[in-house]
Amino acid sequence: QVQLVESGGGLVQAGGSLRLSCAGSGRTFRTYVMGWFRRAPGKEREFVAAISWSGGRTHYADSVKDRFTISRENAKNIGYLQMHSLKPEDTAVYYCAAGAVWGKEYEYWGQGTQVTVSS
């Protein structure tokens, strides 16, 4: 069982930056693929970024590529999503997720953290 808790959300002006954190419980968190997703008001949940258990492989949605960076510190059981050049369309609830296999369904989800970007 893995429990995930996101933090770091908030209100920021367009062009600003935020760093989201995802704290994972249990030693097995470091063996899981970690992903970030988001859900904007009135829209479906969408993939944002993913990182392999070792950190050696990452993947980004086209909409955030070159602006967002996903990373993790396995020794601390924490993952991050560094967001730069934020746009109003980045406004959403951001969720951290963990899955056992790259490219497969994520098994564990956090409760989400709100990110609001004002224009």
Side-chain angles (χ1 to χ4, degrees), residues 13 20 38 61 67 89 115:
Q13 288 189 330
L20 306 182
R38 67 187 182 186
R67 298 189 299 123
E89 51 263 45
V115 172

Side-chain angles (χ1 to χ4, degrees), residues 13 17 23-24 43-44 70 103:
Q13 288 189 330
S17 300
K43 295 188 177 181
E44 297 288 317
I70 190 171

Side-chain angles (χ1 to χ4, degrees), residues 7-21 66-69 81-88 90 94 114-118:
S7 61
L11 173 64
V12 63
Q13 288 189 330
S17 300
L18 277 177
R19 188 178 76 163
L20 306 182
S21 298
D66 299 326
R67 298 189 299 123
F68 291 9
T69 301
L81 184 68
Q82 178 68 56
M83 306 184 292
H84 293 298
S85 302
L86 283 161
K87 306 174 181 179
D90 293 318
Y94 284 70
Q114 175 72 46
V115 172
T116 303
V117 184
S118 63

Side-chain angles (χ1 to χ4, degrees), residues 33-35 37 47 50 97-109:
V33 175
M34 187 187 76
F37 292 76
F47 168 79
V101 180
W102 183 271
K104 299 298 184 181
E105 192 170 325
Y106 288 84
E107 297 144 60
Y108 303 101
W109 294 83

